[in-house]
Amino acid sequence: RDIINRLRQQGTTVFLNSHLLSEVEKTCDRVAFIRDGRILRSDHLEQLSQGTVRITLRVGQPTPQLVDGLKLFDPGCTLESVSGTIQLSLSGREQIPELAAWVIGQGHALYELTPHRLSLEERFLEILSPAAAGQS
């Protein structure tokens, strides 16, 4: 990693091909996701992290109706019965205030709304998922 960082500081472009995505995240400025010889997405790491954001939501009394309503934000939204938290994904951070306002507007006490940045590995799985394959 030190050699690659030193070369980058000297202005040298280095191509790193790795399945160790945590290492790629620590070392690279840009990433490209390739499947069957085609680039599916290429971007700066900062830009890539500005996409989907995972949310952990905790309200006073989560109801099935609340979870159904949250499907407007994320059809895959789930209620974790053990922790009582609701997990959902938003297309971007700009939706967070809208989500909070909607939950409060439904009469629920909002105790937690925690955004989680997707790791490069999670982004990789999202981009190369079977659902995404139908879009490319």
Side-chain angles (χ1 to χ4, degrees), residues 15-97:
F15 288 91
L16 175 66
N17 179 11
S18 178
H19 287 30
L20 300 172
L21 298 181
S22 60
E23 188 65 27
V24 170
E25 206 166 14
K26 292 175 188 171
T27 308
C28 299
D29 298 337
R30 293 182 56 86
V31 295
F33 298 97
I34 301 171
R35 180 183 21 216
D36 299 328
R38 287 186 47 224
I39 296 175
L40 300 178
R41 179 143 182 214
S42 173
D43 220 330
H44 287 277
L45 279 172
E46 302 87 42
Q47 288 297 110
L48 204 55
S49 69
Q50 292 178 2
T52 304
V53 60
R54 297 245 167 93
I55 301 290
T56 298
L57 186 67
R58 186 183 326 266
V59 298
Q61 295 293 324
T63 63
Q65 294 80 11
L66 174 66
V67 175
D68 286 343
L70 288 169
K71 292 184 188 264
L72 295 169
F73 292 91
D74 174 15
C77 148
T78 59
L79 171 62
E80 293 185 6
S81 57
V82 175
S83 65
T85 60
I86 299 167
Q87 304 296 321
L88 65 151
S89 296
L90 301 177
S91 60
R93 292 176 104 47
E94 65 280 351
Q95 286 187 293
I96 294 173

